[in-house]
Amino acid sequence: MTISVLTIPQSFVDEITQHSLEDYPNEACGIIAAESGKPCNLYRMRNVEASPYRYSMDPKELYLTYKDIEQDHNWEVYAIYHSHTHSEAYPSATDVRLATWPEAFYILISLKDKKNPVLRGFKILDSKIEEAEIVIEE
Ligand SMILES: [Zn+2]
């Protein structure tokens, strides 16, 4: 079995952590774009649910972000991240049900222990969860 490798710059890990802490106790979410498979830009997205238990991106903001990534820059959607403030960094049943980007990574960050955030990456294909190996680059 091949394991997907999720490459992510340390600065993006810091940004995801920072964003998640700022939105705590609500879930935070965002998108990472890549150029030729190399992460190049991070978009903080608004969680319109403003909830500690779920997240939902604003359709208009999502549309504009997607347009910026695909049309304006010719990048691709590399990863979707969101935080879990009360549970493990593992996709929930809802996350799996709503996973609509088979080619993208799903990054989960858990703030269950706020002092020690845990970040994990997954591919979600046909309702199957496959954990990715994370390589953090300087
Ligand atoms: Zn979730």
Side-chain angles (χ1 to χ4, degrees):
M1 196 177 108
T2 51
I3 296 169
S4 306
V5 178
L6 194 179
T7 307
I8 185 169
Q10 180 65 52
S11 60
F12 284 11
V13 173
D14 295 343
E15 176 77 16
I16 291 170
T17 308
Q18 183 62 33
H19 183 198
S20 302
L21 286 169
E22 281 175 28
D23 283 11
Y24 187 91
N26 293 338
E27 292 193 0
C29 56
I31 295 176
I32 293 172
E35 186 171 21
S36 309
K38 205 174 155 48
C40 60
N41 204 22
L42 183 148
Y43 301 80
R44 285 188 182 206
M45 303 292 283
R46 203 161 52 89
N47 177 6
V48 291
E49 302 270 357
S51 158
Y53 304 107
R54 55 189 175 271
Y55 78 99
S56 170
M57 294 178 186
D58 173 51
K60 192 170 172 211
E61 191 182 17
L62 182 59
Y63 168 78
L64 291 173
T65 303
Y66 187 68
K67 186 175 169 290
D68 189 69
I69 294 171
E70 299 261 328
Q71 282 183 34
D72 300 352
H73 290 96
N74 205 22
W75 295 336
E76 65 260 2
V77 174
Y78 183 71
I80 320 282
Y81 71 84
H82 75 282
S83 61
H84 280 176
T85 50
H86 298 83
S87 55
E88 302 296 330
Y90 194 82
S92 67
T94 308
D95 293 337
V96 172
R97 192 161 47 80
L98 299 177
T100 47
W101 303 85
E103 69 283 4
F105 286 103
Y106 284 83
I107 296 174
L108 276 290
I109 180 168
S110 173
L111 296 180
K112 216 174 137 188
D113 178 359
K114 265 178 96 178
K115 289 196 175 69
N116 297 293
V118 174
L119 188 136
R120 293 166 73 183
F122 305 88
K123 284 264 170 133
I124 304 174
L125 259 172
D126 300 325
S127 302
K128 282 216 322 264
I129 300 168
E130 182 205 302
E131 182 147 19
E133 181 190 338
I134 295 191
V135 175
I136 296 172
E137 293 184 329
E138 286 309 314

